Amino acid sequence: MSTMLSLVSRHSKVFRRERTTVFFSLLSVLIVILLYALFLQKTQLDAISQMVTVTTDIKSMVNEWMVARLLSILAITTTLGAFGIYVQDLETKRAEDFLTMPISRGNLLISYVINAFIIGSVFSILALIGCEIFLVSTGDKWIEFPTMLKMVGVLLLAVTLASSFNLICTLLVESQTAFSTLSTIIGTVIGFLCGVYVPMGALPEYVQKFMVYFPLSHPTVMLRNLLMNDSLGKVFAGAPIAKEEYMSMYGVTYEWHHHLLSQGTHIVFILGASILFCIFSILVYPALTGSKTPISRFREKRKR
């Protein structure tokens, strides 16, 4: 146990020391903030103005919509950045050196997973505090304590899901160059699959269905429901049809076979996906069949 804690502490220190890694972990969030400030906010406000008159409450609602997305993106990118330590250790053979300690390959991998979860959780909670200060400074009210606790719970679920998903992705790369490419691809694709750059309702129907099936988008929906509940009621008071259209268009709610998904269903979906990702990681982890990755073994078979 002490060896595990020592390794987790070591991974955390390496991550914090690598400022470039920290920066690229936050890069996707910074890009979204920039795009939001340049045109995403205005685009959504213009669309809403066709339904109702734009007010301060509407601006707060739109800000809450984006904050929810930022928090869920951060959970994905920070945990992925933390796994970069694993790839770095793998490439430099440090991971093999660690095996001289009283620890198995499986426990060594778990130490990287724990580190990713801790880093993702810390960054997400700090971001939640920062986003709350931003919302209040723009005229929104303070989030009630019970709602804040629920949001922290959703963020921890998001970090758990992101850690298990990124673990699979990390196991499939062998170098820091490949990992950097993977990080860029994930950072770009996530924004589209979670309805940041283009509203969900503006995408083709088959893409919308894929987004509903895509596990990493579900924490976003949960956060939007918690953050936007009051503002939606104020903005669309007396206009239930317009409210439903907006929530469907901008991914505030998900439909599964014409039924709205509840928060409980989202939780089951997230936990189920996390378990499946973990099981898949166990199946493909090199410790079960040797020290090489699945890609390396595939290449060797082709050479033969």
Side-chain angles (χ1 to χ4, degrees):
M1 187 65 179
S2 60
T3 303
M4 175 78 74
L5 294 177
S6 298
L7 284 172
V8 172
S9 176
R10 176 263 174 189
H11 302 332
S12 179
K13 290 178 181 177
V14 172
F15 177 81
R16 286 183 276 115
R17 188 172 65 242
E18 297 286 345
R19 296 183 179 180
T20 303
T21 303
V22 176
F23 171 76
F24 280 105
S25 297
L26 303 175
L27 183 59
S28 296
V29 174
L30 296 175
I31 291 174
V32 171
I33 292 174
L34 180 62
L35 292 176
Y36 180 68
L38 291 177
F39 69 89
L40 288 177
Q41 182 189 44
K42 184 178 185 302
T43 300
Q44 190 172 158
L45 289 175
D46 290 343
I48 295 174
S49 65
Q50 298 177 8
M51 304 179 189
V52 292
T53 304
V54 175
T55 61
T56 303
D57 289 333
I58 289 180
K59 292 181 179 179
S60 295
M61 181 186 70
V62 174
N63 288 336
E64 291 166 355
W65 179 87
M66 182 53 64
V67 160
R69 183 63 216 124
L70 289 176
L71 292 173
S72 53
I73 284 181
L74 191 67
I76 298 169
T77 57
T78 52
T79 52
L80 181 61
F83 277 116
I85 306 301
Y86 166 78
V87 178
Q88 179 180 324
D89 289 345
L90 195 66
E91 189 174 32
T92 58
K93 307 300 182 182
R94 289 196 189 96
E96 296 298 325
D97 295 337
F98 291 143
L99 293 176
T100 60
M101 305 168 64
I103 189 171
S104 66
R105 288 182 181 275
N107 288 334
L108 176 60
L109 182 64
I110 290 174
S111 71
Y112 291 104
V113 176
I114 293 174
N115 175 60
F117 176 82
I118 292 174
I119 288 175
S121 299
V122 170
F123 271 81
S124 296
I125 292 174
L126 290 176
L128 174 60
I129 296 172
C131 288
E132 172 63 359
I133 294 173
F134 162 74
L135 290 174
V136 172
S137 66
T138 56
D140 210 336
K141 67 176 185 177
W142 290 98
I143 300 176
E144 296 180 357
F145 186 70
T147 303
M148 180 65 76
L149 286 180
K150 291 179 181 178
M151 292 190 66
V152 171
V154 173
L155 287 177
L156 293 179
L157 284 174
V159 172
T160 300
L161 176 61
S163 298
S164 60
F165 173 80
N166 287 327
L167 174 60
I168 294 177
C169 298
T170 304
L171 290 176
L172 299 178
V173 299
E174 301 175 305
S175 66
Q176 294 184 63
T177 301
F179 182 77
S180 298
T181 303
L182 175 69
S183 299
T184 302
I185 294 173
I186 290 178
T188 303
V189 173
I190 286 297
F192 284 100
L193 291 181
C194 295
V196 175
Y197 307 132
V198 181
M200 181 177 179
L203 296 171
E205 186 176 351
Y206 69 91
V207 178
Q208 295 183 39
K209 289 182 178 179
F210 182 79
M211 290 171 67
V212 174
Y213 296 136
F214 186 59
L216 272 69
S217 69
H218 285 256
T220 307
V221 180
M222 295 184 69
L223 290 171
R224 284 174 179 164
N225 271 275
L226 291 171
L227 267 175
M228 301 173 65
N229 186 49
D230 291 340
S231 58
L232 283 168
K234 293 178 181 178
V235 171
F236 295 102
I241 296 178
K243 179 180 177 180
E244 291 179 5
E245 290 178 353
Y246 172 83
M247 294 175 72
S248 177
M249 178 73 176
Y250 288 93
V252 182
T253 56
Y254 273 178
E255 286 189 11
W256 186 293
H257 300 294
H258 306 292
H259 295 285
L260 292 179
L261 298 184
S262 64
Q263 293 287 70
T265 304
H266 288 301
I267 292 175
V268 172
F269 199 97
I270 292 171
L271 291 176
S274 300
I275 293 171
L276 289 177
F277 288 150
C278 289
I279 292 174
F280 184 77
S281 298
I282 292 172
L283 294 176
V284 302
Y285 184 54
L288 298 179
T289 52
S291 60
K292 295 179 180 179
T293 64
I295 292 179
S296 296
R297 293 194 295 274
F298 176 72
R299 288 174 178 170
E300 288 185 357
K301 289 181 180 179
R302 291 189 63 183
K303 289 180 180 179
R304 293 173 187 171

